[in-house]
Amino acid sequence: MSANHWDGFEYCGDISEWYGYADEFRQKIEAYDMQLSSLYLGSGYEDAEAVSQFLERVADSAKFCAEVGSEFVLIDGGKRNDANEYSDADFQRVADAANKAGEICREAGVQCSWHQHWGTMFEFQENLDRLMEMTDPELVLCTPD
C-alpha cells in the first residue's frame, strides 16, 4: 500500500490480538510509512446481550486506536431482514447503542462514525437517514461506504 502512495488503511476484522501491544503495532505499520486510519466494528444489535458485547468491543477498540494514533472507530450493522421492515424498538436499540459507542469513543479520545454497509438494516437511504436523526451528531459521525 505504501508503495502505491497510500498512507493509511481501515482495518476490518479481529485485531484484538494486538490489544496490549500498541507500541509494537505502531512500529510495524510505521516501518511501512503507514497509519491505522480507522478500525471497523460491526454488530447485529439483535438484543441487549449483543449490544453489551458490542460495546465492550468498542471500548477495547477505542483504547487501542487512541494508543496507536488512529482517530476513528467505525461502527455499523443492524441485522437485515428481507422485508426491510423494522420496529421502532429496532431503530431505538441501534441508535442508543451507537450513541453509547460515541460516548465511549469520546472518552478514549477518538471519534465514532457510522460506516453504512450494504446487507444491513441501513442499506437503504430512508433507514440510514432515520438512524442519523436518532443519533447525537456530536457523538456519531457518518462515513458512508
Side-chain angles (χ1 to χ4, degrees):
M1 289 187 296
S2 63
N4 286 307
H5 309 289
W6 292 91
D7 60 3
F9 61 98
E10 168 192 329
Y11 192 86
C12 175
D14 185 5
I15 198 169
S16 62
E17 68 188 60
W18 285 99
Y19 295 176
Y21 302 97
D23 288 338
E24 291 90 338
F25 181 86
R26 188 175 42 252
Q27 289 171 7
K28 284 189 178 291
I29 62 175
E30 286 176 353
Y32 294 98
D33 294 321
M34 298 293 291
Q35 63 182 1
L36 178 65
S37 60
S38 60
L39 183 57
Y40 168 86
L41 304 172
S43 174
Y45 305 96
E46 294 94 343
D47 54 33
E49 170 93 17
V51 168
S52 177
Q53 291 174 358
F54 173 69
L55 293 175
E56 287 177 19
R57 287 180 34 230
V58 169
D60 293 341
S61 299
K63 180 178 183 264
F64 179 75
C65 284
E67 290 171 347
V68 300
S70 178
E71 295 181 49
F72 294 97
V73 172
L74 305 181
I75 63 172
D76 177 43
K79 189 172 181 174
R80 184 175 185 275
N81 65 48
D82 290 335
N84 194 37
E85 294 176 3
Y86 308 96
S87 69
D88 290 342
D90 292 332
F91 279 96
Q92 194 63 58
R93 184 173 48 258
V94 177
D96 290 346
N99 283 324
K100 182 63 179 167
E103 290 173 4
I104 292 167
C105 287
R106 182 171 57 189
E107 289 172 9
V110 298
Q111 295 184 330
C112 178
S113 189
W114 190 270
H115 187 56
Q116 173 266 351
H117 268 263
W118 305 118
T120 71
M121 68 185 274
F122 303 103
E123 178 174 344
F124 300 103
Q125 180 83 37
E126 181 180 314
N127 290 354
L128 179 61
D129 288 346
R130 183 173 177 189
L131 176 67
M132 291 294 96
E133 290 171 5
M134 296 174 73
T135 57
D136 182 341
E138 296 291 319
L139 297 174
V140 183
L141 305 173
C142 185
T143 305
D145 203 14

